[in-house]
Amino acid sequence: MCSLGADLWIFLLLLPACAPAHPAARPPAGVDECAEGIDNCHADAICQDTPSSFKCICKTGFKGEGTDCEDIDECDNEFNGDCVHECANISGNYRCTCYDGFKLAHDGHNCLDVDECSHNNGGCQHTCVNTMGSYECRCKEGFFLSDNQHTCIHRSEEGLSCMNKDHGCAHICRESPRGGASCDCRPGFELAKNQRHCILTCNHGNGGCQHTCNDTDSGPVCSCHPKYTMHSNGKSCIEKEEPESNSTAASDMDKRVKRRLVMETCAVNNGGCDRTCRDTSTGVRCSCPVGFTLQFDGKTCKDIDECQNSNGGCDHFCRNTVGSFDCSCKMGFKLLTDEKSCQDVDECSFERTCDHTCINYPGSFACTCDKGYTLYGITHCGDINECSINNGGCQHACVNTVGSYLCQCHPRYKLHWNNRDCVEVESAPPAFVSPKAILRCVKNGGNERCFLSCQSDVHSVPGLHDAFSLTCGSPVPLRSQNGRNNESLNADVATVRTSTTFKVTEGTCRVRRSDLNQDFSQQKGSEKHNVLYERFCFVNITCRSRAGAGQKGAAKETFLTAEFEAELNYKEVTDSCSFTCARRKAEKRMRKTFRTLRKAISKQQFHARLSGKELDVGKKSSRQSDSQEMCGTGQVRVDGKCVSCQAGTYYDGDKEQCVLCPNGTYQTEEGQITCETCPGPETRENQRTAGARYITECVGVCPPGEFSADGFRPCDSCPLGTYQPDGGRTSCFPCGGNLITKHPGSTSFQECETRVQCSPGHSYNTTTHRCVRCPVGTYQPEFGQNYCVSCPGNTSTDFDGSTNVTQCKNRQCGGELGDFTGFIESPNYPGNYPANTECTWNINPPPKRRILIVVPEIFLPIEDDCGDYLVMRKSASSNSVTTYETCQTYERPIAFTSRSKKLWIQFRSNEGNSAKGFQVPYVTYDEDYQELIEDIVRDGRLYASENHQEILKDKKLIKALFDVLAHPQNYFKYTAQESREMFPKSFIRLLRAKVSRFLRPYK
């Protein structure tokens, strides 16, 4: 009974303790305190209702009176929780884990050796030998193991000592500065007193012991867990057998009774429990570690297959293991740091993914090329030689240019409006004269404004932010032979050409609808000398933004290039001013115009009328702060994604949507900001249907297979023996070789009745009437053609008779590499490298820096004679110290340091092979960290798990690691949160001590 004191504060303190004794505080009879939640059981206890009250029982894995429960540390006993390696206590339970090189047995406590050689040959180039807790690679006769302990190098009979087959080092041989050799050992080994042999320690594969390893002067000594006994091999452990009882028949009954009583305690035979046993008032209670479940007999533990329940929480793949499970992802996805979720790898965020435009898709990506370029080698873009495709459709001459081409006419002819046919100058109707671009600039008190008016062929780069290409008129073709560079093919006209590139304000690389309140093109200058008025036959203005040089986050730099062409008529030459004089005057006017235009653009006062639309050129967006949310040129946002406007439409900046091309216009490309005006006299009726995609949809234009004198209706069908693939043409192409077509109005050479049908990779020769294999450097993907297409850019094919652009390969490779980071890349990567090629690179680090190389994967044809190979050594001499050498596919990543301070690298392919090849990143680092870096890259645990292997294949992660290795001060650019998000927990745990020491050596 509680007694109340006189002081009030004593009363208040005692009141809670005395309250239950008061009859009013006692719960009514029949109330279930557990259900009502009015019990005082601990959070880790179970409330059990009784007829008169309730009682609290601590949950399994906890101890106490029920009102106060404390976690039981199952690992804190002489048996280490029955775990043979490591025991990790967790709230209410525990978990056994194994050292690297071992896996948990099905009983959840014992550890078994992992056979690393069973998966991908352990990553060994030649032979893999499994050992207890580890493995080792061995080489065939005539080879020795490289420093990375996985690949093999061909032995040299002579030369430097480390390349000699008798260098005598058990593991690693190093050149001594003064000649000779010195030996070193792999991590986990110690160099013997003879300075040649290596002694195993417990730090490598647990010393070859299954359970416990202890280092002694004579090497590791193995022992077993108390519940196991040593195998005769001195390394493995066998579970002990329980001794059988020898009781007599007379006392069997009493012994059975005693056994029953004794068995009800954990002191004997662990209470019959498979794992953890706990004595309770009702007998023994068995429990299992995490990852196991107690069976119906209350004694046995069985591994839980977590993958059977919601795929283990894994986004993609789940693989069950003893006591746990592993998640993995589909190709093109990466496992996040929670080691369950999968995230799409945005390949487009990597440097050098695509030459032009990269489009990311879930699990993959695709590269696209700008107009006038074609894709090769999966990610590269090369200029299309349109002239190799049926002469570019040109009636006379065709000249290929970068990203485009030009048709040229013979003397006394001029280019037709279709830019392909040629018409005689004397007979050319005025309506067909090339449109002139008119540039008018007004200077008023230091304010310059310019207005460009023309019938325009405007081409924007779809999907790119801050990029456009604007073309007015047609360039005057150059003389093909014996012509002066600045004269046209027309003898009466000379062309003055000039171009310039200058830097402009960031964010001004856009063409937008003009908000001028009046027609600036018709404005009158206050004074005539303040107005510049020029006619040009051709104007091209391109604008591109690119990342600035320097560190991460550098601002973009925007450059504008302007090209002008003006015709100088010989009739302007007078007695007082010669041709040279007239030319100089024209050039002077153009320079003055350039200066004015430059000022107008810098002040965002450049306007244009293109295809009947008033536009601002180079005006900074009013929504610059939201530029990251804006779509690229010619794109709109659909369902949260930026999508290019389709052909037959254009992007309307006022409506901020894609709009059908109006009547009288057409658009053949996606992602454009204007539509092109249909050709022909203004009085001619144009098509009445909006959204035209091709010029042939313009009413009045002759369709393919037809022609007329001016390209407009009425049209005639191409006669027998001729064909025409384009619309609006003035003639048809002859089949040649007296071949005829199957019917009038043919549209391709394939309709010519050839004597033989040529397969892809061939072209039809109309002289010999035979199929000729496409020569090296060309291809033909179609049947029945009379031409072969030239490979794009500087690419070529391995053989003649190629059938696809994918067989065009860039052979460029080799050279001197950068001081800090860079790539060693097979030619044409990631496309197949060319046959019969040879590349040589040199890495010469700055003083006191060493080289670290990561080979994520390498694909070479497997051949006995090593036809294709990659070798890295000190110099071109075959006897110099070799760091790496391989001639086969190797999909498992490997990292290693160079055995010499500089590297000579050679890749060679023979005449019959081709494969994907390799892209190998490298970094140079301060040689003060040499020992640490070697310790990391030679640690087999770095390559032990698939997750760790994926890190070495992750370009973004390798870039971050190399950034810090090359410039340690950059470590502080990455926050701890960023590091946790980039690297899996297992990888951080593996390298925590080593990486911390490397990044913060003085802390």
Side-chain angles (χ1 to χ4, degrees):
M1 168 105 29
C2 290
S3 60
L4 301 179
D7 294 340
L8 179 61
W9 68 273
I10 296 177
F11 170 76
L12 293 174
L13 287 173
L14 294 176
L15 182 59
C18 297
H22 197 281
R26 186 175 299 161
V31 173
D32 185 347
E33 294 87 351
C34 299
E36 295 292 333
I38 57 177
D39 62 273
N40 61 344
C41 295
H42 191 267
D44 292 317
I46 299 173
C47 179
Q48 187 177 42
D49 186 47
T50 63
S52 59
S53 182
F54 64 93
K55 64 179 180 180
C56 302
I57 305 172
C58 290
K59 297 177 182 177
T60 301
F62 295 88
K63 62 182 178 180
E65 299 300 326
T67 56
D68 184 17
C69 296
E70 179 184 356
D71 174 52
I72 299 173
D73 187 354
E74 294 88 351
C75 301
D76 188 18
N77 58 55
E78 60 177 324
F79 297 111
N80 192 37
D82 287 342
C83 300
V84 300
H85 281 183
E86 294 178 334
C87 179
N89 183 59
I90 56 180
S91 180
N93 213 321
Y94 70 103
R95 182 194 295 273
C96 296
T97 57
C98 299
Y99 302 142
D100 292 313
F102 295 86
K103 63 182 179 181
L104 203 62
H106 285 286
D107 62 10
H109 289 72
N110 195 17
C111 290
L112 305 177
D113 171 57
V114 173
D115 184 3
E116 293 87 354
C117 298
S118 63
H119 176 67
N120 196 27
N121 197 39
C124 299
Q125 184 174 359
H126 287 178
T127 305
C128 180
V129 178
N130 186 58
T131 61
M132 179 66 71
S134 185
Y135 68 102
E136 63 181 51
C137 300
R138 296 178 184 174
C139 298
K140 300 175 183 178
E141 182 68 26
F143 293 81
F144 67 92
L145 202 61
S146 66
D147 287 358
N148 61 48
Q149 303 303 306
H150 287 79
T151 60
C152 297
I153 298 173
H154 188 267
R155 290 185 185 272
S156 176
E157 296 294 337
E158 300 176 354
L160 297 176
S161 55
C162 281
M163 289 301 292
N164 191 290
K165 63 179 180 178
D166 297 321
H167 60 63
C169 295
H171 286 180
I172 300 167
C173 178
R174 300 185 185 281
E175 276 188 285
S176 298
R178 298 180 181 179
S182 62
C183 300
D184 198 359
C185 297
R186 302 197 300 265
F189 292 81
E190 293 181 352
L191 194 62
K193 293 180 180 180
N194 64 9
Q195 299 298 304
R196 297 287 181 184
H197 297 159
C198 293
I199 302 173
L200 176 67
T201 71
C202 295
N203 291 327
H204 179 82
N206 197 35
C209 303
Q210 184 178 358
H211 285 187
T212 306
C213 178
N214 295 292
D215 281 315
T216 67
D217 293 339
S218 59
V221 174
C222 302
S223 58
C224 296
H225 188 275
K227 293 190 175 183
Y228 294 79
T229 183
M230 181 63 70
H231 189 275
S232 59
N233 61 16
K235 295 180 179 294
S236 305
C237 297
I238 305 171
E239 193 170 4
K240 291 180 180 179
E241 296 183 2
E242 292 293 333
E244 295 183 3
S245 175
N246 295 322
S247 60
T248 61
S251 59
D252 277 349
M253 182 61 69
D254 292 337
K255 294 232 179 190
R256 280 197 295 270
V257 173
K258 289 180 181 179
R259 187 179 297 115
R260 181 179 179 184
L261 294 174
V262 173
M263 285 291 289
E264 293 300 321
T265 70
C266 297
V268 178
N269 196 26
N270 198 39
C273 297
D274 223 1
R275 299 294 166 258
T276 305
C277 178
R278 177 171 171 249
D279 287 312
T280 68
S281 58
T282 58
V284 298
R285 178 176 296 174
C286 301
S287 61
C288 301
V290 174
F292 295 82
T293 181
L294 194 64
Q295 298 302 287
F296 293 111
D297 62 4
K299 306 288 186 181
T300 309
C301 292
K302 182 181 179 182
D303 172 55
I304 298 173
D305 186 354
E306 294 86 353
C307 298
Q308 295 295 322
N309 184 17
S310 301
N311 198 39
C314 302
D315 274 1
H316 290 176
F317 306 120
C318 179
R319 181 175 65 89
N320 186 57
T321 61
V322 178
S324 187
F325 64 100
D326 291 326
C327 298
S328 59
C329 301
K330 300 174 183 176
M331 184 172 291
F333 293 81
K334 67 176 181 180
L335 197 65
L336 297 184
T337 53
D338 64 4
E339 300 188 355
K340 288 187 177 181
S341 305
C342 292
Q343 183 184 68
D344 171 54
V345 175
D346 184 3
E347 293 87 355
C348 296
S349 66
F350 303 152
E351 292 182 355
R352 307 167 73 248
T353 299
C354 297
D355 284 356
H356 287 180
T357 305
C358 181
I359 304 172
N360 188 58
Y361 296 108
S364 65
F365 72 100
C367 296
T368 60
C369 298
D370 297 343
K371 181 182 179 183
Y373 294 81
T374 188
L375 194 67
Y376 73 91
I378 303 176
T379 64
H380 303 295
C381 294
D383 170 56
I384 299 173
N385 184 358
E386 293 88 352
C387 297
S388 67
I389 307 173
N390 198 29
N391 196 41
C394 301
Q395 186 178 22
H396 288 181
C398 178
V399 177
N400 186 56
T401 62
V402 178
S404 185
Y405 72 103
L406 298 172
C407 292
Q408 294 183 350
C409 298
H410 300 319
R412 316 298 300 178
Y413 286 82
K414 197 165 187 176
L415 207 60
H416 188 262
W417 62 262
N418 60 28
N419 292 323
R420 289 180 173 85
D421 290 317
C422 295
V423 293
E424 292 187 40
V425 174
E426 293 79 6
S427 61
F432 298 150
V433 175
S434 299
K436 303 297 182 182
I438 301 173
L439 180 66
R440 185 172 182 272
C441 295
V442 174
K443 298 191 295 183
N444 186 8
N447 296 322
E448 290 82 6
R449 305 178 74 188
C450 291
F451 190 93
L452 179 69
S453 177
C454 69
Q455 291 294 321
S456 170
D457 174 19
V458 181
H459 178 256
S460 63
V461 184
L464 291 185
H465 292 276
D466 294 336
F468 69 81
S469 175
L470 182 153
T471 304
C472 290
S474 301
V476 177
L478 299 173
R479 284 187 185 273
S480 57
Q481 294 180 347
N482 301 324
R484 287 177 292 177
N485 290 337
N486 289 329
E487 294 185 13
S488 71
L489 291 177
N490 190 334
D492 290 337
V493 179
T495 303
V496 180
R497 296 181 174 88
T498 186
S499 65
T500 186
T501 299
F502 52 92
K503 191 174 179 179
V504 295
T505 306
E506 180 189 358
T508 59
C509 253
R510 283 181 177 268
V511 179
R512 300 174 179 84
R513 180 69 67 89
S514 176
D515 55 2
L516 287 176
N517 295 325
Q518 52 185 325
D519 189 350
F520 170 69
S521 64
Q522 300 299 323
Q523 277 187 263
K524 295 181 179 180
S526 57
E527 299 181 22
K528 289 186 178 180
H529 66 270
N530 286 336
V531 179
L532 295 175
Y533 188 88
E534 285 289 339
R535 283 179 175 270
F536 297 99
C537 60
F538 175 72
V539 175
N540 179 262
I541 298 175
T542 59
C543 195
R544 285 289 182 97
S545 295
R546 62 172 181 258
Q551 298 296 324
K552 179 181 177 182
K556 284 186 175 181
E557 296 178 339
T558 304
F559 295 90
L560 188 143
T561 299
E563 300 176 72
F564 284 76
E565 289 186 9
E567 291 182 351
L568 179 64
N569 199 307
Y570 283 87
K571 296 178 181 179
E572 297 179 8
V573 179
T574 63
D575 294 337
S576 60
C577 186
S578 64
F579 172 78
T580 303
C581 168
R583 184 180 195 83
R584 287 177 178 173
K585 285 184 178 180
E587 291 174 344
K588 184 177 180 180
R589 289 197 309 269
M590 291 181 71
R591 287 195 297 269
K592 186 177 181 181
T593 302
F594 260 71
R595 289 194 296 269
T596 305
L597 179 62
R598 181 194 295 263
K599 293 178 181 179
I601 291 176
S602 66
K603 296 175 182 178
Q604 302 179 39
Q605 293 295 330
F606 182 31
H607 313 281
R609 178 184 288 117
L610 309 175
S611 301
K613 297 185 182 298
E614 308 290 340
L615 301 171
D616 288 330
V617 181
K619 188 169 184 179
K620 194 170 184 178
S621 172
S622 60
R623 297 186 298 170
Q624 187 67 18
S625 59
D626 299 330
S627 60
Q628 291 184 348
E629 284 74 32
M630 295 174 60
C631 290
T633 303
Q635 291 189 325
V636 293
R637 191 171 293 278
V638 178
D639 296 332
K641 296 182 179 180
C642 291
V643 179
S644 296
C645 294
Q646 296 180 349
T649 69
Y650 71 99
Y651 178 75
D652 190 316
D654 291 341
K655 298 179 181 179
E656 296 186 349
Q657 62 184 21
C658 299
V659 178
L660 290 174
C661 290
N663 294 344
T665 66
Y666 67 97
Q667 182 53 260
T668 61
E669 299 182 52
E670 294 183 350
Q672 300 303 306
I673 56 175
T674 63
C675 295
E676 300 305 321
T677 303
C678 287
E682 295 180 356
T683 56
R684 192 178 295 275
E685 182 183 5
N686 290 305
Q687 88 278 4
R688 297 184 177 87
T689 304
R693 293 170 176 256
Y694 306 103
I695 190 172
T696 52
E697 295 182 59
C698 297
V699 171
V701 175
C702 292
E706 297 183 8
F707 74 104
S708 69
D710 58 6
F712 293 104
R713 296 183 188 277
C715 309
D716 296 322
S717 296
C718 290
L720 292 176
T722 65
Y723 63 95
Q724 181 51 257
D726 302 317
R729 299 301 297 265
T730 62
S731 63
C732 298
F733 297 111
C735 291
N738 297 321
L739 299 177
I740 63 171
T741 51
K742 300 176 182 177
H743 50 75
S746 296
T747 60
S748 72
F749 178 80
Q750 292 166 315
E751 296 179 62
C752 298
E753 294 187 327
T754 57
R755 298 179 185 178
V756 292
Q757 176 76 355
C758 293
S759 61
H762 297 76
S763 64
Y764 187 83
N765 188 311
T766 55
T767 302
T768 62
H769 296 286
R770 293 182 178 180
C771 295
V772 180
R773 290 175 66 85
C774 290
V776 172
T778 66
Y779 66 97
Q780 177 51 257
E782 299 179 3
F783 283 91
Q785 287 291 8
N786 63 335
Y787 63 89
C788 293
V789 185
S790 294
C791 282
N794 296 321
T795 64
S796 185
T797 58
D798 290 337
F799 311 102
D800 59 0
S802 296
T803 60
N804 198 284
V805 69
T806 58
Q807 295 169 278
C808 296
K809 302 170 185 177
N810 192 334
R811 306 183 70 89
Q812 183 177 357
C813 61
E816 299 292 325
L817 300 180
D819 290 344
F820 293 98
T821 60
F823 290 91
I824 305 154
E825 189 175 80
S826 57
N828 204 55
Y829 185 88
N832 287 354
Y833 56 77
N836 199 25
T837 190
E838 182 176 316
C839 311
T840 302
W841 300 267
N842 287 283
I843 304 177
N844 292 297
K848 296 185 178 181
R849 295 189 74 83
R850 301 301 293 263
I851 306 168
L852 170 65
I853 294 175
V854 173
V855 182
E857 55 188 7
I858 182 169
F859 298 92
L860 303 175
I862 300 176
E863 291 187 341
D864 293 336
D865 59 353
C866 280
D868 299 358
Y869 67 85
L870 175 68
V871 62
M872 304 180 188
R873 53 181 179 241
K874 183 177 180 180
S875 68
S877 171
S878 60
N879 294 330
S880 63
V881 173
T882 302
T883 293
Y884 179 82
E885 186 177 61
T886 186
C887 60
Q888 66 185 48
T889 293
Y890 198 74
E891 295 188 55
R892 183 168 174 167
I894 187 72
F896 52 88
T897 57
S898 171
R899 301 180 69 200
S900 52
K901 290 189 176 181
K902 61 181 181 179
L903 274 181
W904 177 87
I905 303 163
Q906 185 183 65
F907 168 68
R908 179 178 289 178
S909 64
N910 66 17
E911 61 184 8
N913 286 338
S914 185
K916 181 179 179 180
F918 52 87
Q919 185 185 67
V920 176
Y922 75 90
V923 62
T924 66
Y925 59 91
D926 194 315
E927 64 181 12
D928 290 342
Y929 306 125
Q930 173 77 355
E931 183 177 349
L932 174 65
I933 299 299
E934 289 185 349
D935 184 36
I936 293 173
V937 300
R938 292 176 184 170
D939 194 324
R941 293 176 295 174
L942 183 63
Y943 320 102
S945 72
E946 292 184 7
N947 288 343
H948 293 174
Q949 294 175 31
E950 289 304 315
I951 291 174
L952 297 179
K953 292 186 177 184
D954 191 316
K955 294 182 180 180
K956 189 174 183 179
L957 297 185
I958 287 295
K959 181 184 177 183
L961 286 172
F962 279 17
D963 180 35
V964 175
L965 286 173
H967 311 284
Q969 67 274 16
N970 289 347
Y971 167 70
F972 300 99
K973 293 194 311 182
Y974 302 94
T975 64
Q977 179 64 26
E978 285 178 321
S979 298
R980 286 193 293 268
E981 290 176 353
M982 285 194 294
F983 300 104
K985 296 176 183 177
S986 57
F987 183 77
I988 294 176
R989 287 194 301 265
L990 175 66
L991 301 180
R992 185 185 303 275
K994 296 179 180 180
V995 173
S996 296
R997 178 184 165 193
F998 170 59
L999 298 179
R1000 300 177 183 267
Y1002 306 111
K1003 185 172 178 179

